[in-house]
Amino acid sequence: MLVKSIPSKIKPGFKAKITGVRSAVEASKGLRQRLLSMGLTPGTIFEVVRLAPLGDPVQIKVRGFLLGLRRFELEPLQLEVL
Amino acid sequence: MSQPTKAPQVVLVGFPNCGKSTIFNALTGGTAKVGNWSGVTVDVKHGCLDLAKQTTSLIDLPGITTLTHLSEEQSLDSHVVHKFLRENHADVIINVLDVSHLQTQLYLTLQLCEMGVPMVVAVNMMDQLDKSGSQLQLECLSELLGCPVVPLVGSRRKGLAGLKKNIMEMLEKPLAASPIQYPPLVEQAIETLMQEGHCQRWQAIQCLCGDFCVLSELTGNQKQLLSRWQSSCGAQLGQEVDLLIIDTMYTWINKQMPILLQGTPKSSAWTDRLDALALHRFLGIPIFIMVMYGLFVFAISLVGGLQDSVGLLTEWLWVDGTTVFLHGLDAPEWLVHILAEGIGRGINTTLTFLPVLLGIYLYLAFLEGSGYMPRAAFVMDRLMRFLGLPGKAFVPLIIGFGCNVPAVMATRTLASPKDRLMTSMMVPFMSCSARLAIFSVFAGAFFPEGGQNVIFCLYLLGIGVAIFTGWLLRRILTREAESPLLMTFPAYHWPRPEVMLRQVYWRVLGFVKRAGRIIIPLSLILSLLTLPAGKSAQPVLHAVSKSVTVLLNPMGIEEDNWPATVGLVSGIIAKEVVIGTLNTLYTHDDKSNQLGQGFGQEIKEYAAWEAKGTQVRHAFTHALGWSSGTSTERAEIESAMGRFALYFHNDASVFSYLLFVLLYFPCLSTLAVIVREVSKPWAIISVFWATGLAYVFAIACYQLLTISAHVGLSMAWLTGCVASVYMGYRLLLALWQREVLGLRTYG
């Protein structure tokens, strides 16, 4: 299933495959680059491990290690929910 | 950074928390020096590395996650690294990898490979691999990357000899080309850019990735060329060029990983277990608060308990000692005053901070070394974003309750200059332990019952004003995109004592050196104000205070209470001085000076000085728990309380005065670190903003508390208060928008 707006659906156990990263024009350039350089490239699968106490930054597991990011920072990613 | 010798430069590059500093310390021993890199406040450590044939200079750069420098707004750290790598011509790069996060860290390695600088890859924390029973094919990795790969356990100094040997070899031979081949069209773009822009391959690649530093140096023609290539790549390959480049690297890494690594290195069970607690949905915040409470127990009660004694000792040596010594030499009174009360007091003020700084830094070094800090940032992030600050900013604000000085210094962990500025401006409103001392004396005198509620109220008001300041500043500093959180979670470690101690040493030394330079001259100026004008005449400050006290009328301070004004001025040096000044002035007010004039004075003074020496010794034994509290001390406080009650006419005026003390003028030491961490103009704004708010809030508070007595007048004052805060805000906004006073350059 391809989803347009993921951030609200995210909870622990949420698993998705990255199908694309929005182009630099749409997403903030720095954010897009940082996501890519941390290994969130198309084809990668990640899983939400836990949410922070106030529900916002989320911890995800990608390529075998843990990353913390804010919900809106996931927005440039195009996802396919697994 | 100017290098005195032409020794070859060896540079440590790697992710944050990959163990660079441990390796740096192990390699350099005690030779490290912290240098400021080209005017920015990020410290670059450098030291000597002795190899068999020659001595090299080893440089420890801040941790980075990618070579691409994305925007001006982004962290100073990556800016420093980038600048260094481009301009300083590193002779050998040591790329440190944390084996448990190999995949993403190899991405940085590949970027470094493209630079063509001789490189040694040091795979750190190999012991974690052994624990999980997996194996890393080091020879295979070495062959793939075309550079030596050395296994290390930095914390146990394993593998250092091998690392040194390889550095030596790499000084003599250049690196093989990067193993990465991009799609043909991208390669073509790189080629063209290299020819047209006369740059190296890696610069062309970074250019295509949108690197800010490289882009800003391009000419108009080159920019056109770049955008043409970017769009043609996008059109023909269906992906943007930066994604293609990064994807190529990760595809390579994905392909090689199964060959390189047999079995998956698991993060240690301890890290998982601790994270389940530290990041827990409900327990996360309470645990954070407990950890921070531990900071106060440790830094303020245990180590900080020495503050009074150290203060007394340095005062005895530098202020009283100087006085006795110079009087012995028959030096003129004005010179004695300037040297003792100016320079001596300045040194005394600077050194008094050492115990608390030591305590706070030791605790922080432990937290940083253990790996808890990123967790704290994660847990507090959402809460702090109400203020437009990242979660990390919570730590400096909390430290502010202990002492504002290390709090301002702690802001340098924040990535964006804007966050550092905002936090530094908020910190002075956090009620530090020195202010607590003032509050408790007043509370004891005026609010024997419910004193703690009054103090708690003041703390809350301070926090409120800090939030208010943050909120206003956020409106002024039109915020662009927030710096992304995107953080990694390093495994928990047991911090190495020598690394901790060295870090504490650097920070404390940095404070003494740089803050002292500002505190002492300012203290000198204050001493001129208190210079006795003649035998019977009063110092300038006292005379001025008597006439200026009228200004404090609206907050309930009557003219006969002029010592309160003097107390405020002397409290600028350090807030705890307020009590001492009030005490002295209330005692001597309307009494003839008891000191004998003429010949006998010196002998009396010397005797008093000797007596104080004994007092200093008592203070130390008391602080270290070797003797119980002295009764004279308590009696002194009690008599002070009695005297205070004669001068403040009602409780409302006491509360307003305390509110003023809480908010006004960040003390000299705090000011000194704001100058250093932010900028001079902002430090001055901080003074005006804090003092202005203190005045307005104290008046508003007094008028509200006494509104029943004079409704009309109070209402007028309150309206005036609101109007002046608004005007202050407009003024600051106007200054910011007109780009005057250098307000826009900070951090």
Side-chain angles (χ1 to χ4, degrees), chain B residues 647-668:
Chain B
Y647 287 87
F648 286 90
H649 298 295
N650 54 28
D651 289 354
S653 73
V654 175
F655 190 78
S656 309
Y657 186 70
L658 291 182
L659 187 60
F660 192 89
V661 169
L662 165 70
L663 301 176
Y664 90 112
F665 211 108
C667 70
L668 281 194

Side-chain angles (χ1 to χ4, degrees), chain B residues 415-461:
Chain B
S416 101
K418 242 169 225 168
D419 296 342
R420 283 199 292 273
L421 169 66
M422 269 178 70
T423 316
S424 302
M425 298 297 277
M426 288 166 73
V427 159
F429 299 115
M430 304 318 239
S431 181
C432 63
S433 55
R435 277 169 265 187
L436 177 63
I438 305 174
F439 298 161
S440 30
V441 171
F442 272 90
F446 294 96
F447 314 101
E449 283 153 42
Q452 69 276 25
N453 296 338
V454 172
I455 295 176
F456 188 63
C457 234
L458 285 165
Y459 269 78
L460 287 186
L461 280 168

